[in-house]
Amino acid sequence: MKFSEYWQYDGLGLAELVRKRDVTASELLDVASQRLDAVNPQLNAVIHNFKDAAQQRIRQKIPQGVFAGVPFILKDLLDDLTGQPTSFGTEQVRWWPEKNAEIVNRYLKTGLVPFAKSNLPEFGLMISTESKAFGPAHNPWKMGHSTGGSSGGSAAAVAARIVPMASANDGGGSIRFPAACCGVFGLKPSRGRNPTGPFEAEGWDGAIAGHPITLSVRDSAAMLDALCGPELGASFLLPKPKMPFLDQLKVPIKPLRIGYSLKPMIPASVSPEARAAVEHSVKLLKSLGHQVEEADPAIDVEQMWQDFMVVISGHTAAKVAQIKQIWGAKVAASLEPGTLSAAMLGRSFSSADVAQAKEGWYKVRCAMAEYLTRYDMLLTPTLIAEPAAHGVIPPSKFEALQMKLGHRLPLGKLLMNSGLLFKMSERVLSRMAFTLMGNVTGLPSMSVPLYWAPSGLPLGTQITGRLNDEGRLLRLAKQLESAQPWFERRPLL
């Protein structure tokens, strides 16, 4: 098979070719590897290649699941695979897991063939993939621009047609944000839908969800069928749907009542292009028979980001302490200033602060639950602006020096109360102005690639639904995909 044929199929389409014996899994892996070799020097989307181990897996006979033989890329965070190191996006930490992450077991059961790991920011903390360890991942639509984060390498690999889908996870927008930046489809499932253990059984107090970034809606639905279901020790459990998600796509969707909002849920300015993306989507939805009206959720925009920072910085502090214990103080000191600064914040806050912050998360859940009694879904921008040029989002050299010098001091409450913390973090936090709510609440949310700016850069439209209602989100996405197809639209690399 040649690339000119390969890129025209989604994952289910490639798997069907393998089942019909029109192509072998080994041949598909060769095409994907050749595509990786051709474009990765430009994109830097992939940081670790293990094609030989993947070919060995094929020779040992892969499971004959729904995606049997389809090449796949794993994110180098949470999606741990035995025999391959996990770097977490760091320069010096290399962890060799003694067993697979549960979500990886379920990927493998579908017959997928992982052969590489994607670029990411250190510990997934940055909303742009520009780590000190591996360098920036480039947006396939415009070199020198961000792929988003933290699943930026995965999104770039899918957009560049290296693979039809790649693994991702989302703690503050890390599936939806890069999907929007790279013009592909990204669904963050409901809390408790897909497994997160055994190494991170309750990642970021339940804020993290894992699911692949895909080219097609049907691949996302089929993957959700394969991944969902309970795991041992899980804190949050959702039952499998009575009708598989893939089958639900065949059921016509009834007209919906959709609220849309351009009001950021974290202090931020929304660019004209981000507004234009929403206006385009509103017009499209109305043309499909849906009732769409402007309505803002009642969320305290200052309190939400503060509560999020209190909880997440505590997890970062625990992770840095773990690294120091296992790999030593020198390795821990090699982490990026932003990681060390976040860990300092986590050490500064008390258990009472964390308990109060989690009460704040509950208030956001209540506000959204009330909103979704009046509307079936909420539509917002995914991004507040076009994907940024490299160097815009990460801290400057001076800011990094300040973080490095202050990371040993208990400054968290002082920085929070003085307003300095938001100023230091604004370039990251403000860009999560619409995505973060989905992680705090656990609601399912997706970014749909419906709009490209005149610059050629994509901006996704985010649509959030009720808990346990991914089926309806996917059905709406399928309707939008049919009305305004995006599959054939690809960057010229």
Side-chain angles (χ1 to χ4, degrees):
M1 174 180 273
K2 297 179 180 178
F3 175 70
S4 58
E5 302 168 278
Y6 172 82
W7 79 265
Q8 298 178 46
Y9 293 92
D10 64 359
L12 288 172
L14 291 175
E16 178 64 17
L17 293 178
V18 174
R19 273 192 295 276
K20 291 163 59 178
R21 299 186 179 181
D22 291 338
V23 67
T24 67
S26 181
E27 289 169 341
L28 286 183
L29 181 56
D30 284 339
V31 176
S33 296
Q34 290 166 14
R35 179 61 175 167
L36 174 63
D37 292 342
V39 300
N40 201 55
Q42 299 168 264
L43 295 178
N44 194 31
V46 165
I47 57 175
H48 176 51
N49 188 331
F50 48 96
K51 178 192 172 185
D52 291 344
Q55 287 285 18
Q56 179 65 21
R57 186 183 296 275
I58 292 171
R59 286 192 290 271
Q60 292 172 348
K61 293 191 178 180
I62 54 177
Q64 294 305 297
V66 66
F67 289 109
V70 178
F72 193 62
I73 290 174
L74 293 171
K75 183 178 177 180
D76 206 18
L77 178 72
L78 301 179
D79 296 342
D80 308 296
L81 176 68
T82 56
Q84 303 303 327
T86 299
S87 74
F88 309 97
T90 69
E91 282 188 311
Q92 296 189 30
V93 178
R94 295 295 180 272
W95 177 55
W96 295 81
E98 70 276 11
K99 57 184 176 180
N100 297 332
E102 176 57 26
I103 197 168
V104 171
N105 283 331
R106 297 185 189 188
Y107 283 137
L108 296 176
K109 192 174 180 180
T110 70
L112 286 169
V113 181
F115 72 102
K117 287 198 168 186
S118 61
N119 200 352
L120 73 158
E122 190 171 87
F123 290 114
L125 293 174
M126 188 69 63
I127 205 72
S128 185
T129 301
E130 304 178 53
S131 73
K132 181 175 67 172
F134 297 106
H138 290 264
N139 194 308
W141 297 94
K142 195 171 186 180
M143 305 302 288
H145 283 68
S146 176
T147 60
S150 62
S151 310
S154 290
V158 173
R161 302 303 202 267
I162 298 171
V163 286
M165 53 187 169
S167 83
N169 32 66
D170 188 319
S174 293
I175 290 173
R176 294 155 290 155
F177 199 93
C181 287
C182 295
V184 290
F185 181 71
L187 170 73
K188 182 200 79 68
S190 295
R191 184 172 297 161
R193 174 67 68 199
N194 288 348
T196 58
F199 306 116
E200 297 280 349
E202 196 174 338
W204 287 5
D205 275 56
I208 295 176
H211 194 66
I213 289 171
T214 64
L215 287 171
S216 70
V217 174
R218 70 173 191 159
D219 275 358
S220 189
M223 282 304 315
L224 201 58
D225 285 325
L227 298 176
C228 74
E231 64 175 324
L232 290 174
S235 303
F236 310 100
L237 296 173
L238 288 180
K240 280 181 170 283
K242 293 179 180 178
M243 178 186 291
F245 292 110
L246 187 60
D247 290 344
Q248 289 186 47
L249 296 185
K250 302 171 186 175
V251 180
I253 192 165
K254 296 178 181 179
L256 301 171
R257 190 178 186 202
I258 300 172
Y260 78 92
S261 175
L262 288 161
K263 181 183 177 183
M265 300 179 204
I266 292 174
S269 297
V270 181
S271 75
E273 284 302 332
R275 291 176 179 275
V278 166
E279 291 163 2
H280 173 87
S281 299
V282 167
K283 184 177 179 181
L284 177 59
L285 285 163
K286 287 181 176 179
S287 74
L288 294 170
H290 302 290
Q291 180 183 347
V292 189
E293 60 186 50
E294 189 166 9
D296 301 325
I299 290 174
D300 187 329
V301 298
E302 286 288 341
Q303 196 62 49
M304 188 169 75
W305 75 262
Q306 292 182 26
D307 292 338
F308 182 78
M309 288 293 287
V310 169
V311 176
I312 292 349
S313 64
H315 284 272
T316 306
K319 181 61 67 177
V320 171
Q322 182 186 47
I323 287 170
K324 186 176 181 179
Q325 180 182 18
I326 297 172
W327 284 276
K330 189 173 181 180
V331 171
S334 73
L335 299 175
E336 292 183 16
T339 302
L340 296 175
S341 183
M344 176 274 291
L345 293 174
R347 293 191 299 271
S348 300
F349 298 122
S350 68
S351 57
D353 294 325
V354 175
Q356 187 174 4
K358 288 302 297 291
E359 286 296 314
W361 286 25
Y362 172 69
K363 291 177 182 177
V364 178
R365 287 202 303 274
C366 288
M368 283 307 303
E370 190 281 327
Y371 186 92
L372 292 172
T373 62
R374 294 182 286 122
Y375 298 97
D376 296 308
M377 296 175 187
L378 167 65
L379 183 151
T380 68
T382 310
L383 313 177
I384 62 167
E386 294 176 56
H390 286 152
V392 169
I393 296 176
S396 66
K397 289 183 179 179
F398 179 67
E399 290 166 333
L401 178 61
Q402 288 180 309
M403 291 176 178
K404 193 82 172 178
L405 292 174
H407 83 271
R408 299 184 188 278
L409 302 173
L411 301 174
K413 287 188 177 181
L414 174 63
L415 292 172
M416 184 79 84
N417 295 335
S418 67
L420 288 173
L421 180 57
F422 187 80
K423 289 182 180 179
M424 292 170 58
S425 310
E426 183 176 8
R427 291 198 300 278
V428 174
L429 283 172
S430 65
R431 291 177 183 271
M432 299 159 67
F434 294 102
T435 58
L436 185 58
M437 177 275 292
N439 303 92
V440 169
T441 60
L443 296 175
S445 187
M446 63 185 181
S447 182
V448 189
L450 299 175
Y451 183 83
W452 272 252
S455 65
L457 284 164
L459 289 92
T461 295
Q462 179 175 259
I463 306 175
T464 301
R466 297 174 185 140
L467 192 72
N468 200 19
D469 201 15
E470 290 96 325
R472 188 154 51 164
L473 277 177
L474 287 164
R475 286 160 62 204
L476 178 61
K478 183 63 179 176
Q479 185 186 44
L480 292 168
E481 182 184 39
S482 298
Q484 188 184 295
W486 59 75
F487 192 94
E488 299 290 327
R489 188 166 189 165
R490 67 183 183 96
L492 299 176
L493 290 173

